[in-house]
mmCIF file with all atom_site columns, all heavy atoms in Angstrom:
data_model
loop_
_atom_site.group_PDB
_atom_site.id
_atom_site.type_symbol
_atom_site.label_atom_id
_atom_site.label_alt_id
_atom_site.label_comp_id
_atom_site.label_asym_id
_atom_site.label_entity_id
_atom_site.label_seq_id
_atom_site.pdbx_PDB_ins_code
_atom_site.Cartn_x
_atom_site.Cartn_y
_atom_site.Cartn_z
_atom_site.occupancy
_atom_site.B_iso_or_equiv
_atom_site.pdbx_formal_charge
_atom_site.auth_seq_id
_atom_site.auth_comp_id
_atom_site.auth_asym_id
_atom_site.auth_atom_id
_atom_site.pdbx_PDB_model_num
ATOM 1   N N   . SER A 1 97  ? 28.106 21.372 17.386 1.00 0.00 ? 114 SER A N   1
ATOM 2   C CA  . SER A 1 97  ? 29.123 21.584 18.421 1.00 0.00 ? 114 SER A CA  1
ATOM 3   C C   . SER A 1 97  ? 28.509 21.997 19.752 1.00 0.00 ? 114 SER A C   1
ATOM 4   O O   . SER A 1 97  ? 27.580 22.819 19.800 1.00 0.00 ? 114 SER A O   1
ATOM 5   C CB  . SER A 1 97  ? 30.095 22.684 17.971 1.00 0.00 ? 114 SER A CB  1
ATOM 6   O OG  . SER A 1 97  ? 31.024 22.982 18.982 1.00 0.00 ? 114 SER A OG  1
ATOM 7   N N   . SER A 1 98  ? 29.077 21.481 20.832 1.00 0.00 ? 115 SER A N   1
ATOM 8   C CA  . SER A 1 98  ? 28.667 21.912 22.177 1.00 0.00 ? 115 SER A CA  1
ATOM 9   C C   . SER A 1 98  ? 28.948 23.386 22.403 1.00 0.00 ? 115 SER A C   1
ATOM 10  O O   . SER A 1 98  ? 28.302 24.036 23.230 1.00 0.00 ? 115 SER A O   1
ATOM 11  C CB  . SER A 1 98  ? 29.408 21.091 23.233 1.00 0.00 ? 115 SER A CB  1
ATOM 12  O OG  . SER A 1 98  ? 29.074 19.731 23.159 1.00 0.00 ? 115 SER A OG  1
ATOM 13  N N   . VAL A 1 99  ? 29.901 23.936 21.675 1.00 0.00 ? 116 VAL A N   1
ATOM 14  C CA  . VAL A 1 99  ? 30.239 25.356 21.812 1.00 0.00 ? 116 VAL A CA  1
ATOM 15  C C   . VAL A 1 99  ? 29.021 26.221 21.490 1.00 0.00 ? 116 VAL A C   1
ATOM 16  O O   . VAL A 1 99  ? 28.818 27.290 22.075 1.00 0.00 ? 116 VAL A O   1
ATOM 17  C CB  . VAL A 1 99  ? 31.422 25.716 20.893 1.00 0.00 ? 116 VAL A CB  1
ATOM 18  C CG1 . VAL A 1 99  ? 31.675 27.220 20.888 1.00 0.00 ? 116 VAL A CG1 1
ATOM 19  C CG2 . VAL A 1 99  ? 32.679 24.964 21.316 1.00 0.00 ? 116 VAL A CG2 1
ATOM 20  N N   . GLU A 1 130 ? 30.751 18.295 14.000 1.00 0.00 ? 147 GLU A N   1
ATOM 21  C CA  . GLU A 1 130 ? 31.219 19.609 14.454 1.00 0.00 ? 147 GLU A CA  1
ATOM 22  C C   . GLU A 1 130 ? 31.825 20.416 13.315 1.00 0.00 ? 147 GLU A C   1
ATOM 23  O O   . GLU A 1 130 ? 32.795 20.009 12.675 1.00 0.00 ? 147 GLU A O   1
ATOM 24  C CB  . GLU A 1 130 ? 32.250 19.428 15.575 1.00 0.00 ? 147 GLU A CB  1
ATOM 25  C CG  . GLU A 1 130 ? 32.548 20.717 16.325 1.00 0.00 ? 147 GLU A CG  1
ATOM 26  C CD  . GLU A 1 130 ? 33.189 20.446 17.668 1.00 0.00 ? 147 GLU A CD  1
ATOM 27  O OE1 . GLU A 1 130 ? 34.310 19.874 17.675 1.00 0.00 ? 147 GLU A OE1 1
ATOM 28  O OE2 . GLU A 1 130 ? 32.582 20.772 18.703 1.00 0.00 ? 147 GLU A OE2 1
ATOM 29  N N   . PHE A 1 131 ? 31.182 21.569 13.048 1.00 0.00 ? 148 PHE A N   1
ATOM 30  C CA  . PHE A 1 131 ? 31.588 22.528 12.021 1.00 0.00 ? 148 PHE A CA  1
ATOM 31  C C   . PHE A 1 131 ? 31.608 21.904 10.618 1.00 0.00 ? 148 PHE A C   1
ATOM 32  O O   . PHE A 1 131 ? 32.193 22.473 9.687  1.00 0.00 ? 148 PHE A O   1
ATOM 33  C CB  . PHE A 1 131 ? 32.962 23.148 12.332 1.00 0.00 ? 148 PHE A CB  1
ATOM 34  C CG  . PHE A 1 131 ? 33.049 23.806 13.687 1.00 0.00 ? 148 PHE A CG  1
ATOM 35  C CD1 . PHE A 1 131 ? 34.279 24.040 14.278 1.00 0.00 ? 148 PHE A CD1 1
ATOM 36  C CD2 . PHE A 1 131 ? 31.906 24.176 14.399 1.00 0.00 ? 148 PHE A CD2 1
ATOM 37  C CE1 . PHE A 1 131 ? 34.368 24.641 15.531 1.00 0.00 ? 148 PHE A CE1 1
ATOM 38  C CE2 . PHE A 1 131 ? 31.983 24.779 15.650 1.00 0.00 ? 148 PHE A CE2 1
ATOM 39  C CZ  . PHE A 1 131 ? 33.222 25.009 16.218 1.00 0.00 ? 148 PHE A CZ  1
ATOM 40  N N   . VAL A 1 328 ? 35.639 30.461 18.158 1.00 0.00 ? 345 VAL A N   1
ATOM 41  C CA  . VAL A 1 328 ? 35.481 29.740 19.420 1.00 0.00 ? 345 VAL A CA  1
ATOM 42  C C   . VAL A 1 328 ? 36.232 30.512 20.498 1.00 0.00 ? 345 VAL A C   1
ATOM 43  O O   . VAL A 1 328 ? 37.444 30.749 20.374 1.00 0.00 ? 345 VAL A O   1
ATOM 44  C CB  . VAL A 1 328 ? 36.034 28.298 19.335 1.00 0.00 ? 345 VAL A CB  1
ATOM 45  C CG1 . VAL A 1 328 ? 35.918 27.597 20.691 1.00 0.00 ? 345 VAL A CG1 1
ATOM 46  C CG2 . VAL A 1 328 ? 35.302 27.501 18.264 1.00 0.00 ? 345 VAL A CG2 1
ATOM 47  N N   . SER A 1 332 ? 35.987 28.279 25.775 1.00 0.00 ? 349 SER A N   1
ATOM 48  C CA  . SER A 1 332 ? 35.102 27.213 25.287 1.00 0.00 ? 349 SER A CA  1
ATOM 49  C C   . SER A 1 332 ? 35.844 26.148 24.485 1.00 0.00 ? 349 SER A C   1
ATOM 50  O O   . SER A 1 332 ? 35.218 25.166 24.051 1.00 0.00 ? 349 SER A O   1
ATOM 51  C CB  . SER A 1 332 ? 33.994 27.816 24.410 1.00 0.00 ? 349 SER A CB  1
ATOM 52  O OG  . SER A 1 332 ? 33.196 28.708 25.152 1.00 0.00 ? 349 SER A OG  1
ATOM 53  N N   . GLU A 1 333 ? 37.143 26.320 24.292 1.00 0.00 ? 350 GLU A N   1
ATOM 54  C CA  . GLU A 1 333 ? 37.867 25.387 23.432 1.00 0.00 ? 350 GLU A CA  1
ATOM 55  C C   . GLU A 1 333 ? 37.859 23.961 23.976 1.00 0.00 ? 350 GLU A C   1
ATOM 56  O O   . GLU A 1 333 ? 37.914 22.993 23.214 1.00 0.00 ? 350 GLU A O   1
ATOM 57  C CB  . GLU A 1 333 ? 39.301 25.878 23.225 1.00 0.00 ? 350 GLU A CB  1
ATOM 58  C CG  . GLU A 1 333 ? 39.372 27.087 22.308 1.00 0.00 ? 350 GLU A CG  1
ATOM 59  C CD  . GLU A 1 333 ? 40.803 27.468 21.974 1.00 0.00 ? 350 GLU A CD  1
ATOM 60  O OE1 . GLU A 1 333 ? 41.731 26.804 22.504 1.00 0.00 ? 350 GLU A OE1 1
ATOM 61  O OE2 . GLU A 1 333 ? 40.988 28.413 21.190 1.00 0.00 ? 350 GLU A OE2 1
ATOM 62  N N   . HIS A 1 334 ? 37.729 23.817 25.294 1.00 0.00 ? 351 HIS A N   1
ATOM 63  C CA  . HIS A 1 334 ? 37.715 22.469 25.864 1.00 0.00 ? 351 HIS A CA  1
ATOM 64  C C   . HIS A 1 334 ? 36.462 21.691 25.463 1.00 0.00 ? 351 HIS A C   1
ATOM 65  O O   . HIS A 1 334 ? 36.417 20.467 25.595 1.00 0.00 ? 351 HIS A O   1
ATOM 66  C CB  . HIS A 1 334 ? 37.793 22.553 27.397 1.00 0.00 ? 351 HIS A CB  1
ATOM 67  C CG  . HIS A 1 334 ? 36.546 23.096 28.036 1.00 0.00 ? 351 HIS A CG  1
ATOM 68  N ND1 . HIS A 1 334 ? 36.250 24.445 28.048 1.00 0.00 ? 351 HIS A ND1 1
ATOM 69  C CD2 . HIS A 1 334 ? 35.518 22.469 28.667 1.00 0.00 ? 351 HIS A CD2 1
ATOM 70  C CE1 . HIS A 1 334 ? 35.096 24.637 28.671 1.00 0.00 ? 351 HIS A CE1 1
ATOM 71  N NE2 . HIS A 1 334 ? 34.635 23.447 29.055 1.00 0.00 ? 351 HIS A NE2 1
ATOM 72  N N   . LEU A 1 335 ? 35.448 22.391 24.956 1.00 0.00 ? 352 LEU A N   1
ATOM 73  C CA  . LEU A 1 335 ? 34.218 21.730 24.527 1.00 0.00 ? 352 LEU A CA  1
ATOM 74  C C   . LEU A 1 335 ? 34.335 21.116 23.134 1.00 0.00 ? 352 LEU A C   1
ATOM 75  O O   . LEU A 1 335 ? 33.461 20.343 22.720 1.00 0.00 ? 352 LEU A O   1
ATOM 76  C CB  . LEU A 1 335 ? 33.053 22.737 24.534 1.00 0.00 ? 352 LEU A CB  1
ATOM 77  C CG  . LEU A 1 335 ? 32.672 23.332 25.894 1.00 0.00 ? 352 LEU A CG  1
ATOM 78  C CD1 . LEU A 1 335 ? 31.629 24.428 25.714 1.00 0.00 ? 352 LEU A CD1 1
ATOM 79  C CD2 . LEU A 1 335 ? 32.148 22.241 26.828 1.00 0.00 ? 352 LEU A CD2 1
ATOM 80  N N   . LEU A 1 336 ? 35.380 21.460 22.409 1.00 0.00 ? 353 LEU A N   1
ATOM 81  C CA  . LEU A 1 336 ? 35.551 20.962 21.041 1.00 0.00 ? 353 LEU A CA  1
ATOM 82  C C   . LEU A 1 336 ? 35.902 19.477 21.030 1.00 0.00 ? 353 LEU A C   1
ATOM 83  O O   . LEU A 1 336 ? 36.543 18.961 21.951 1.00 0.00 ? 353 LEU A O   1
ATOM 84  C CB  . LEU A 1 336 ? 36.639 21.754 20.320 1.00 0.00 ? 353 LEU A CB  1
ATOM 85  C CG  . LEU A 1 336 ? 36.353 23.229 20.055 1.00 0.00 ? 353 LEU A CG  1
ATOM 86  C CD1 . LEU A 1 336 ? 37.604 23.916 19.528 1.00 0.00 ? 353 LEU A CD1 1
ATOM 87  C CD2 . LEU A 1 336 ? 35.189 23.382 19.062 1.00 0.00 ? 353 LEU A CD2 1
ATOM 88  N N   . GLN A 1 337 ? 35.501 18.812 19.942 1.00 0.00 ? 354 GLN A N   1
ATOM 89  C CA  . GLN A 1 337 ? 35.871 17.426 19.730 1.00 0.00 ? 354 GLN A CA  1
ATOM 90  C C   . GLN A 1 337 ? 37.378 17.317 19.479 1.00 0.00 ? 354 GLN A C   1
ATOM 91  O O   . GLN A 1 337 ? 37.999 18.259 18.951 1.00 0.00 ? 354 GLN A O   1
ATOM 92  C CB  . GLN A 1 337 ? 35.117 16.854 18.533 1.00 0.00 ? 354 GLN A CB  1
ATOM 93  C CG  . GLN A 1 337 ? 33.599 16.838 18.701 1.00 0.00 ? 354 GLN A CG  1
ATOM 94  C CD  . GLN A 1 337 ? 33.135 15.734 19.634 1.00 0.00 ? 354 GLN A CD  1
ATOM 95  O OE1 . GLN A 1 337 ? 33.256 14.558 19.318 1.00 0.00 ? 354 GLN A OE1 1
ATOM 96  N NE2 . GLN A 1 337 ? 32.630 16.121 20.789 1.00 0.00 ? 354 GLN A NE2 1
ATOM 97  N N   . PRO A 1 338 ? 38.006 16.182 19.831 1.00 0.00 ? 355 PRO A N   1
ATOM 98  C CA  . PRO A 1 338 ? 39.460 16.039 19.613 1.00 0.00 ? 355 PRO A CA  1
ATOM 99  C C   . PRO A 1 338 ? 39.876 16.283 18.172 1.00 0.00 ? 355 PRO A C   1
ATOM 100 O O   . PRO A 1 338 ? 40.890 16.948 17.921 1.00 0.00 ? 355 PRO A O   1
ATOM 101 C CB  . PRO A 1 338 ? 39.731 14.598 20.052 1.00 0.00 ? 355 PRO A CB  1
ATOM 102 C CG  . PRO A 1 338 ? 38.668 14.294 21.047 1.00 0.00 ? 355 PRO A CG  1
ATOM 103 C CD  . PRO A 1 338 ? 37.449 15.038 20.574 1.00 0.00 ? 355 PRO A CD  1
ATOM 104 N N   . THR A 1 340 ? 38.425 18.176 15.926 1.00 0.00 ? 357 THR A N   1
ATOM 105 C CA  . THR A 1 340 ? 38.303 19.603 15.630 1.00 0.00 ? 357 THR A CA  1
ATOM 106 C C   . THR A 1 340 ? 39.495 20.366 16.210 1.00 0.00 ? 357 THR A C   1
ATOM 107 O O   . THR A 1 340 ? 40.078 21.225 15.530 1.00 0.00 ? 357 THR A O   1
ATOM 108 C CB  . THR A 1 340 ? 36.993 20.163 16.192 1.00 0.00 ? 357 THR A CB  1
ATOM 109 O OG1 . THR A 1 340 ? 35.901 19.374 15.724 1.00 0.00 ? 357 THR A OG1 1
ATOM 110 C CG2 . THR A 1 340 ? 36.788 21.606 15.760 1.00 0.00 ? 357 THR A CG2 1
ATOM 111 N N   . ARG A 1 341 ? 39.861 20.060 17.453 1.00 0.00 ? 358 ARG A N   1
ATOM 112 C CA  . ARG A 1 341 ? 41.017 20.736 18.062 1.00 0.00 ? 358 ARG A CA  1
ATOM 113 C C   . ARG A 1 341 ? 42.289 20.450 17.261 1.00 0.00 ? 358 ARG A C   1
ATOM 114 O O   . ARG A 1 341 ? 43.118 21.342 17.051 1.00 0.00 ? 358 ARG A O   1
ATOM 115 C CB  . ARG A 1 341 ? 41.189 20.287 19.515 1.00 0.00 ? 358 ARG A CB  1
ATOM 116 C CG  . ARG A 1 341 ? 40.121 20.813 20.457 1.00 0.00 ? 358 ARG A CG  1
ATOM 117 C CD  . ARG A 1 341 ? 40.568 20.759 21.916 1.00 0.00 ? 358 ARG A CD  1
ATOM 118 N NE  . ARG A 1 341 ? 40.875 19.404 22.344 1.00 0.00 ? 358 ARG A NE  1
ATOM 119 C CZ  . ARG A 1 341 ? 39.980 18.573 22.879 1.00 0.00 ? 358 ARG A CZ  1
ATOM 120 N NH1 . ARG A 1 341 ? 38.722 18.955 23.008 1.00 0.00 ? 358 ARG A NH1 1
ATOM 121 N NH2 . ARG A 1 341 ? 40.332 17.369 23.261 1.00 0.00 ? 358 ARG A NH2 1
ATOM 122 N N   . ARG A 1 344 ? 42.112 22.404 13.959 1.00 0.00 ? 361 ARG A N   1
ATOM 123 C CA  . ARG A 1 344 ? 42.308 23.835 14.214 1.00 0.00 ? 361 ARG A CA  1
ATOM 124 C C   . ARG A 1 344 ? 43.758 24.128 14.589 1.00 0.00 ? 361 ARG A C   1
ATOM 125 O O   . ARG A 1 344 ? 44.310 25.180 14.227 1.00 0.00 ? 361 ARG A O   1
ATOM 126 C CB  . ARG A 1 344 ? 41.356 24.308 15.322 1.00 0.00 ? 361 ARG A CB  1
ATOM 127 C CG  . ARG A 1 344 ? 39.916 24.419 14.853 1.00 0.00 ? 361 ARG A CG  1
ATOM 128 C CD  . ARG A 1 344 ? 38.962 24.649 16.022 1.00 0.00 ? 361 ARG A CD  1
ATOM 129 N NE  . ARG A 1 344 ? 39.118 25.965 16.636 1.00 0.00 ? 361 ARG A NE  1
ATOM 130 C CZ  . ARG A 1 344 ? 38.448 27.055 16.280 1.00 0.00 ? 361 ARG A CZ  1
ATOM 131 N NH1 . ARG A 1 344 ? 37.572 26.985 15.284 1.00 0.00 ? 361 ARG A NH1 1
ATOM 132 N NH2 . ARG A 1 344 ? 38.622 28.201 16.906 1.00 0.00 ? 361 ARG A NH2 1
#
Side-chain angles (χ1 to χ4, degrees):
S114 176
S115 297
V116 173
E147 193 161 63
F148 304 160
V345 177
S349 298
E350 287 187 358
H351 70 282
L352 297 173
L353 294 171
Q354 298 285 293
T357 307
R358 289 200 300 270
R361 286 170 69 91

